Structure formats: structure tokens, C-alpha cells
Amino acid sequence: TYNEIAKPKINYIDIQQLLSSDDELANLIKNVLDKFFSYVLRIKDEIAEDIYSIDKAMQLGFAWKFGPFEMMNNISLVPAKYQELF
């Protein structure tokens, strides 16, 4: 059965405001980013010799504006268990 759901109200000016919020949407985004960044940090040595190559590959291969490491740096969101690397 198909049930239409309401679109969430997005009242954020930028990503920093979203990440500092504690509502349901912000928690979902933080959870997804935490899992993604943890995964990239865990396998980074298997992918390339340096993080700059990974960022460049994601930008060129997937047309991302920022690679995952550049994104982590820009939004200051590093998974807790990897804080010592930054």
C-alpha cells in the first residue's frame, strides 16, 4: 500500500545549522554521515596512497563538489573514534 508522507520542513540556513540541530532530520543526516565517514576512514588505506587522491576520485568519478575528506574538514564532522587522526 502506498502512503504519501509529508515532506519535512527544512528551516536550516546551512549545513552547520543542520548539524547543530537536534531534530529528527538532523539526527538522520548526522547518523548517515557518521557511518559514511567511518567507512571511508576505515578503508582509506586500501583505496589509495593518500586522502587527496580519494577526494579527487570522488569529485571526478561521481561529480561530487567535495570529496569525503574535504567534506569532513569543511563541516567539522569526524566520527568520534577517528578524532585522533585529525
Side-chain angles (χ1 to χ4, degrees):
T1 305
Y2 174 79
N3 294 319
E4 188 172 338
I5 59 171
K7 289 185 179 182
K9 293 181 182 178
I10 300 175
N11 299 320
Y12 311 106
I13 295 172
D14 58 20
I15 188 76
Q16 291 300 342
Q17 189 179 33
L18 168 70
L19 295 174
S20 65
S21 176
D22 197 31
D23 64 18
E24 188 177 1
L25 178 60
N27 289 332
L28 172 67
I29 299 295
K30 287 186 272 191
N31 187 23
V32 169
L33 287 175
D34 184 71
K35 288 184 184 328
F36 171 68
F37 292 152
S38 292
Y39 172 73
V40 172
L41 285 162
R42 191 174 62 248
I43 66 166
K44 67 180 174 42
D45 294 330
E46 300 171 28
I47 299 172
E49 292 183 16
D50 58 63
I51 62 174
Y52 305 104
S53 299
I54 297 170
D55 279 347
K56 188 54 71 179
M58 296 303 284
Q59 290 168 318
L60 295 174
F62 293 99
W64 285 21
K65 186 172 183 177
F66 304 106
F69 295 97
E70 194 174 8
M71 194 182 318
M72 268 186 269
N73 186 48
N74 289 347
I75 64 176
S76 301
L77 183 66
V78 177
K81 66 181 185 180
Y82 294 100
Q83 290 286 329
E84 73 279 356
L85 298 175
F86 290 83

